[in-house]
Amino acid sequence: VIRIILILALARASGIAQNPDPAYGALEQAYASLREKNYDQAIAGFRQAIALAPNRASIHKDLAYALLKVGENEEARDQFAEAMRLDPTDQHVALEYAFLCYETKQQAIARRVFDRIRKTGDATAEEAFQNIDGPLAEGIARWEKALEGSPDNFSAHQELAALAEQRDELALAAVHYEKAWRLRPGERELLLDLGRVWKLEGRTEEANCVLLAASRGEPARVAEKARELLPARYPYVYEFEKALQLDPNNFELRREFAYLLLEMGKKEDAEREFQKLNQMAPDDLLSTAQLGFLRLNRGDYAGAQPLLDQVLKGTDDTLADRVRSALKLPQLMRHRGTTAQRTSEEAKSMAEKSLKAGYLKDALKYLSIAQENDPVDFAVMLKLGWLYNVMHQDQQAIKWFKLAAKSPDPAVAKEANQAYHNLAPAFALFRTTFWAFPFYSSRWNDAFGYAQVKTEIRLGHFPIRPYISARFVGDLRGTTGSTLSNPAPQYLSETSFIFGVGVTTLPIHGVVGWFEAGESVKYLTSRSDVGAMIPDYRGGIAYAKGFGHLLGGAKGFFFESNEDGVFVSRFQNDMLAYSQNRAGYTFARTETAALLQAQIYFNFNGTADRLGQYWANYVESGPGVRFRLRNFPKGMMFSTNFLRGVYTVNEYNPRRPNFFDLRAGFWYAFTH
Amino acid sequence: MPSHIKHGSVGQALSPANRIAAAALLFLMTIAAHAATLTYHIAGDDAGPWPQILGSIGLTAAAGGPANLVVVRNVAPGSVPQWMQRITEGEIVVLEGESELAQALGFEAGKKHVVVRSMVDEHAPKLPIVWKTGVDIPVFAVPADARIFATERWEGAPLEAAVRRGSGAVLWIAVEPGRQGYERFPYLLQALSDLGMSAPFRSERLWAFFDGSYRSRVDLDYFAERWRKAGIGVLHVAGWHYYESGPANDEYLRRLIEACHRKAILVYVWLELPHVSEKFWADHPEWREKTAILQDAQLDWRKLMNLTNRQSFAEVSKGIQALVTRFDWDGVNLAELYFESLEGADNPARFTPMNADVREEFQRLHGFDPLTLFEPGKTDAAQLGTFLNYRAELAGRQQEEWIAKIETIRESKPNLDFVLTHVDDRFDTSMRNLIGADAARVLPLLDRHDFTFLIEDPATIWNLGPERYPKIAEKYQPLTKQTNKLAIDINIVERYQDVYPTKQQTGTELFELVHVAAKAFPQVALYFENSILAPDLPLLAASAATVDKVQQDGRRLIVDSPYGVGVPWQGPALVNGRQWPVHDQTTLWVPAGPNIIEPAAKDPALRMLDFNGNLRSAAASPAGLEFSYQSNARAAAVLNKRPQKLEVDGNSTAQPLLESGLNFVILLPRGQHVVTISMTPRPLDRP
């Protein structure tokens, strides 16, 4: 017997040691964390305990208290609610819940719970109830009085309704929510308030209708909130009808209703609704098309035609295709359909045709479709680059060239890369241009050199760019020596480096304006007519444009014009006008020869100035040839011109009034 | 023990060979010392809204150098293997919608589509997130191991998810974030944080408004720590709850102030005159303000008193004096002292002041009772204009009167800071007529009185984006030379306007607001502490930090900031070549201006772990540390060791010392001072 008793005792002890409470471990950890004020861990422990023993009110209560410590009042409220549900006799929990409802803006619930508890004789609940109810009653009386004086006071109706709802005076709340909404139908949140109150009042049918109205159309937030309050099922027809009676201008609601009628086979009713939609928003292509189809279906061609025409002219291609299909017209080519590859090929072919016909916008549309359907077609990317370039949209062009430069096809990649690098400097923050033009002139028996290096700063889309510049203007001979009429030696060039800062405009139809200020530094130490460094201001406008088949292009005739108006301070603030024009023929590019391409042409040049100085007033003309050589840099161009000229001002001219001049030199420029 | 203490002992005890190993280890540790995400890179021609999103917590675009956060907007053909490798090696990559890379990672568009109008985000699952315009997107399949952050609300389609690959991670979103960066996914930055991105800088200079009625049962020490971590430097506490003395309330407030001081947070009393207190309203019905329908002016939560009445003013003045002197406040905030309401004269039921004193004074000055303006059919625009001018003038007079009152209180409490909170009426010019607020009248007072002018952005513009703050700042520049005394208040509340995606500012929208405001104004306040949503707290201090320049130069980090900033840092550091004593285990605090930070061999024994004030300079000394500061209120310094001796401007002084866990907090005087703190008395001081 003793052994049996011992066994039973041990079994009981071991049972106690094992503890049948599944939440024991979690709770023990939670309480330990709570003692250490490690609330986050305590909360996690209580949650774990709840998962293991969900029906124990005390754990919900302890979790709620822990949540209160970290300020999670809403969650704490919900835990007290759960504890209250599990143990309705615990008045203390009910009070905690009610207080937290009050603190978390659920005043109506707080008032209801306090009201329930106070009826059991609880003084705390009584006081809390009065603290809530008294101000609500006062507020209602105050706003009712305010409305006596101004019955159309929107905010008074709104405030009164809100207070009445909190005091569970639902009928009063509904009346004033509705009045407020009628005063300001744009305040669609009031539809939600009205629906919520009607629902609480048990007016479910009306509530659903008003919530249905709120759930369609804008604002999106109200629509989403209304959706929460609506039943999960799809609305009934009569609910649509009632919602539309309440909110007749709700376009989205009416359109959905119209489609619902169509779905139900009620074509006449649907047509009536689409007719209303068309009157409400004549530009809405979807309802216009639908009304057109309905009329077409019942043989009202005259009624349907203008509507369908409107859709065909509209911007919705998909809809337009449906109209075409209904009217048995050929379809527009679509972005997506059949297979992407096939669409891409069709699009490329259409783009080619459009390009040949000169329809650039169409070509762009088709190339875009081709690219969309076959995004790794690098040849299409390259074409898009060229097309944008031709359309003067270089920012787009550069994007496509950059992409096409990644092509596995070396030819495509090379061409794209070259094009990209040609365009890229224009979009870089800094753009440095260098040009040089050395040439020999038989007339002066001298070699001249002109050169400039210039760095521009791009200021976004601002049409003016500042720059810094260094120029060189000089010659080998230096001076012509003194003459009878001019005892001082005459210098043939400025023989200087000119350093300056300036601004230039972006070209507009080939015209550029510029101005710079700087210092001119002479490099001829023996030169005595100017100081070693003199201020230099210059500026002007320049126009340069070529027509026809220019060098670098295909063979054919061409014409080029360079017109410059220049102000130069060092020439006694003179203003000079230069006109240089060439008309001639460009030969085809050779495939392998050293001579890459050549032009022959005739020059027509003229120069004039403000001060009427002889050296700046002459005209000249004569033949010339320009060419590029294969193994030389691509920015290098050689030229030889034979010119016959005549001075148009001969006052102080120490020379003959006319001249021959053979000029030979090369032009070299690059941009980085 | 902190790792820097260990470095010192290792350096002294190890053999030369081991020292080399230790040095290598130290080097590796110092590389990791500032391994926060400083920069990002955007792959693709169009950066979209990403610079705003990432910039809102201080991340800057990588200038050619490496970046461990990359937004891949365009995936170049054939580049998927490289991207996969970079992810595996530790990069965090962000992807939008469909792409070859997304597909390779397992984010694949299905045939089914869903129109997304609202979504649920795991960072705030109960928060309604609604998109202004629905977007039709395919329903994506996501990898089995993906962590889904956000789903479409009704169908549950994944919208934001992440996967980890190797030591890197990918954040994928189903559609681009929208023009401003917050229209669709408010918690992108939180998701990136979850994946390992850490914000580059911190600021703990934010002000926040606080109402004890929302926090009556919280653990105040827990909250003080949380506020400090969120970058809050000053708490403006609703003072009307403590206007009348009561044991429980007073005890709560004392505990609150102590808890804040222990975490180096300063506490200002926030007054909302002409609301005085519930009890004052109940006890003095004779001094209640009246609306234009002659009802007592209980408007929203405020119960307004008639402060034009001299008896009422004297009584309230006495009460305010008692309130300010009864507690250990660091400052006073006199807020919103003008009239009601935002509906102006259009709504007589909310229009104030219409008490007998005002009506009488106005009638004496202008010959008619202003109440007649609100009689039906008797509205006269010119007469109304006269009254609105008088009303704005009266508000100005009352503000001046109360400023003078606060100044007299400061005579006995010289460390008190003073703030005047005033709604903006320059950007939204309707405010003068609506509520009588006239900043142009008040701002010249900055030349005569020492206070901060806190501009509250009016409810009417809460729907506008962050770009409004530089514009508001511009409007105030011409009105005062004291631009360093201007501050801006951001109201984080449910806005009455139709705003998206969230009714109140949270996530990226909040960070953009705070960041742009912090760049435009020297001081930013948030209304209010309780409305800041929990997911926003960890990144709030980062959004408040403003840095003009950051440059990583090998082991050196160069940081230039206008107001001083906290830099993520672990271990000892040199700042501008000097041993730097101002840092804790994760953050190193540098003063305003350019600073060069680099790893150091060992830490000084006495360090300042946190400082609330404008730190000007700091240096470790053999006996402790020295620093100089400027502060409009008291300054709070948190030290890692108990100080033995304290000198302010060369004079030994006994400032209040609080114990804060293992640390110690000293409250230092207001103004500009040089402080020397010694751990042990210097030899010369010994007897």
Side-chain angles (χ1 to χ4, degrees), chain B residues 120 151 193 216 319 432 435 459 570:
Chain B
V120 179
T151 53
S193 279
S216 57
R432 189 176 186 275
I435 58 175
Q570 287 168 351

Side-chain angles (χ1 to χ4, degrees), chain A residues 37 39-40 65 68-75 77-78 80 96 99-100 103 105 135 138 141-143 145-146 149-150 153-156 159 184 189 218-222 224-225 227-228 375-376 378 381 399 402-403 406, chain B residues 45 76-77 100 117-118 126 128-133 152-155 213-223 226 293 295-296 298-300 303 343 346-350 376 494 497-503 530 534:
Chain A
K37 298 194 170 184
Y39 300 112
D40 296 335
Y65 284 120
L68 282 177
K69 289 285 177 195
V70 297
E72 296 293 344
N73 292 8
E74 285 182 17
E75 268 195 75
R77 177 199 66 202
D78 296 345
F80 279 127
E96 290 281 23
F99 277 115
L100 277 170
E103 282 176 27
K105 296 178 185 170
E138 274 175 32
R142 196 168 62 245
W143 289 115
K145 198 174 172 211
S150 56
N153 187 327
F154 168 80
S155 72
E159 302 246 11
R184 289 194 195 166
E189 192 128 16
E218 290 183 334
R221 186 177 302 286
V222 170
E224 287 293 299
K225 277 190 192 169
R227 202 172 162 184
E228 275 171 35
V376 288
F378 291 91
M381 294 179 203
K399 191 177 95 181
K402 194 177 175 186
L403 286 170
K406 297 180 191 337
Chain B
D45 295 334
E100 207 184 332
R117 291 196 176 87
S118 62
K126 289 184 182 168
I129 300 170
V130 180
W131 295 2
K132 188 175 184 186
T133 313
E152 194 279 328
R153 185 172 177 194
W154 304 101
E155 309 271 330
S213 61
Y214 292 95
R215 299 290 194 204
S216 57
R217 300 170 76 176
V218 301
D219 182 320
L220 292 169
D221 291 309
Y222 173 91
F223 265 79
R226 179 161 123 165
I293 57 168
Q295 287 187 342
D296 289 347
Q298 180 186 340
L299 300 168
D300 305 321
K303 295 177 173 173
E343 293 175 72
D346 288 346
N347 189 355
R350 302 181 75 92
E494 291 211 340
Q497 291 99 341
D498 188 33
V499 286
Y500 297 91
T502 53
K503 201 71 176 145
N530 183 49

Side-chain angles (χ1 to χ4, degrees), chain B residues 75-118:
Chain B
V75 181
S79 64
V80 170
Q82 287 98 307
W83 283 117
M84 295 295 255
Q85 190 187 343
R86 288 170 69 171
I87 296 163
T88 314
E89 286 170 359
E91 265 183 14
I92 299 176
V93 165
V94 183
L95 296 173
E96 296 171 347
E98 290 182 70
S99 70
E100 207 184 332
L101 181 55
Q103 201 172 1
L105 285 157
F107 297 97
E108 204 156 343
K111 284 181 183 166
K112 194 182 164 197
H113 276 235
V114 60
V115 177
V116 184
R117 291 196 176 87
S118 62

